[in-house]
Amino acid sequence: MDENNDNYQFVLEPIHNFSGSLIAYELLTKFASSNRPFDLTQGDDNLFYPLSQSDRLSIFRQQITLLDELYQRNDTIPKISVNIDKDIAGEITSSSSLQEKIAQMPLLRFEICEFFTSDSDNDESSLLRELTKICPLWLDDFGAGNSNLTLVMKGEFEYVKIEKNFFWQHGSSNAFRDLISHLNAFCEGIIVEGIQHAKHEEQLRTLDITGMQGYHWEPVQIDAMIKRLH
């Protein structure tokens, strides 16, 4: 994959708390094609994961390079999370050069979801333990199907992120409130995805939520942010 490819770009999606403060970003990859322009309001997991392993690793290395430059230019930038899959996780744990870069970014976080479950085999469990030694982990897309309480109860995750469709479907229920309380016992905080308007924000205000993420807040292109810091 051409590292100067015009068919994708990297954006930072903000995560806010109830006071309005920015507490973190998630670094996302947005794709375009001849008949599909960039759309910063749409997720692109369905375009990222079908890529070859080498292309996904290439994109990840570009992300790490950009984040390294961003943190070097401004040490007040908050935590930034990056999604990784099983292949990328394996590359991280086997590459000393990657680990050295990651060690220089103490506010970097890795988000994992679909390749770990409570029934992970010994190899996956070992990979998870190795990752936690390299970088704090966030569990992404809780409620989407693969993630469950048994996995969270292992205590491997700094934050747990609630999947947007799960929030839209259950966010006003007492069961959702109980779930948030239970999850908080096993991690440092909960982030809810899918916040599209002020009513969603108000819906969560009485819950013990650390952060909120969604198209209620405008994402920022990381290249533009780096240029402003020159």
Side-chain angles (χ1 to χ4, degrees), residues 14-230:
I15 300 171
H16 289 266
N17 61 20
F18 287 118
S19 69
S21 298
L22 176 71
I23 61 171
Y25 287 107
E26 179 181 357
L27 181 59
L28 300 171
T29 307
K30 299 297 180 179
F31 292 86
S33 63
S34 58
N35 58 359
R36 182 183 183 275
F38 287 115
D39 185 350
L40 300 189
T41 67
Q42 296 296 323
D44 283 328
D45 284 354
N46 61 326
L47 296 176
F48 177 77
Y49 289 110
L51 294 174
S52 69
Q53 176 181 352
S54 61
D55 283 350
R56 284 183 280 112
L57 289 174
S58 174
I59 285 177
F60 174 72
R61 287 185 176 275
Q62 291 174 64
Q63 291 174 325
I64 293 299
T65 298
L66 285 169
L67 290 176
D68 183 43
E69 181 177 2
L70 181 62
Y71 277 123
Q72 286 189 39
R73 292 184 180 278
N74 188 343
D75 59 9
T76 67
I77 298 293
K79 296 175 181 178
I80 299 178
S81 66
V82 178
N83 290 280
I84 63 172
D85 62 14
K86 189 174 182 179
D87 290 331
I88 295 172
E91 180 75 4
I92 293 168
T93 57
S94 62
S95 171
S96 57
S97 61
L98 265 177
Q99 291 177 34
E100 288 173 4
K101 275 193 173 182
I102 292 165
Q104 295 171 3
M105 293 181 280
L107 296 180
L108 176 65
R109 300 294 184 264
F110 290 143
E111 290 192 27
I112 66 171
C113 59
E114 83 291 341
F115 60 98
F116 288 115
T117 70
S118 62
D119 298 321
S120 292
D121 60 27
N122 289 335
D123 288 341
E124 289 182 340
S125 296
S126 175
L127 182 58
L128 180 60
R129 288 193 296 271
E130 287 301 311
L131 281 173
T132 59
K133 297 174 183 177
I134 297 168
C135 181
L137 303 180
W138 293 3
L139 181 62
D140 194 18
D141 287 345
F142 184 91
N146 287 335
S147 302
N148 58 44
L149 281 172
T150 304
L151 181 60
V152 177
M153 288 169 65
K154 293 182 178 180
E156 304 283 6
F157 302 101
E158 180 181 54
Y159 287 160
V160 173
K161 298 181 76 174
I162 304 296
E163 195 263 343
K164 61 183 179 182
N165 289 295
F166 188 84
F167 163 58
W168 293 339
Q169 183 175 357
H170 303 289
S172 60
S173 69
N174 288 330
F176 187 82
R177 179 184 298 274
D178 292 342
L179 174 66
I180 295 300
S181 296
H182 194 65
L183 289 173
N184 270 311
F186 300 100
C187 64
E188 294 183 21
I190 308 297
I191 295 170
V192 178
E193 300 177 299
I195 311 304
Q196 296 185 311
H197 43 67
K199 288 184 178 179
H200 278 157
E201 188 174 349
E202 286 303 313
Q203 184 178 342
L204 294 170
R205 192 167 289 276
T206 61
L207 302 182
D208 188 8
I209 301 295
T210 301
M212 299 169 290
Q213 179 180 354
Y215 304 133
H216 186 43
W217 300 278
E218 186 175 355
V220 180
Q221 293 187 18
I222 190 171
D223 285 340
M225 182 180 288
I226 291 173
K227 286 178 182 178
R228 289 200 300 268
L229 297 173
H230 275 214

